[in-house]
Amino acid sequence: MENYGYTKTENEQNQQSGVPYRSEKKIPAALLGILVGWLALNKFYLGYTKEGIIQLVLNVVTLGAASVIPFIEGILYLFMSDKQFDDTYVYGKKGWL
């Protein structure tokens, strides 16, 4: 399975060398969720195709009212630590809140 440049050994080596941990996907995913969440781009960006399609359908059915979900997710992404975000959404593949 493609992990888009992330490997557990790379992150463990960075922690051992004293380099602060940085997530490459956290800020873009958060901004996509906040700014254009109605298009479910944050889900597609993180590789969650099925969840992205469900979010798009929900937005069409509810006439955009369901776009509050990716907005809240984007805010949650911003307040998570980089390590927690990667462990949950990049490695753990948790699709929803």
Side-chain angles (χ1 to χ4, degrees), residues 1-19:
M1 174 175 263
E2 182 70 30
N3 62 4
Y4 302 102
Y6 291 95
T7 61
K8 294 248 182 207
T9 55
E10 278 181 21
N11 295 330
E12 290 169 5
Q13 288 172 354
N14 286 343
Q15 289 296 323
Q16 292 172 357
S17 66
V19 177

Side-chain angles (χ1 to χ4, degrees), residues 5-63:
Y6 291 95
T7 61
K8 294 248 182 207
T9 55
E10 278 181 21
N11 295 330
E12 290 169 5
Q13 288 172 354
N14 286 343
Q15 289 296 323
Q16 292 172 357
S17 66
V19 177
Y21 187 84
R22 280 307 274 172
S23 173
E24 295 177 3
K25 292 191 171 198
K26 179 181 153 184
I27 299 297
L31 291 176
L32 287 171
I34 292 170
L35 299 176
V36 288
W38 57 277
L39 289 174
L41 293 181
N42 61 324
K43 296 290 185 193
F44 292 116
Y45 179 74
L46 290 172
Y48 301 123
T49 306
K50 180 177 68 171
E51 289 86 349
I53 292 171
I54 291 170
Q55 184 66 47
L56 280 173
V57 170
L58 280 174
N59 284 331
V60 170
V61 170
T62 64
L63 301 175

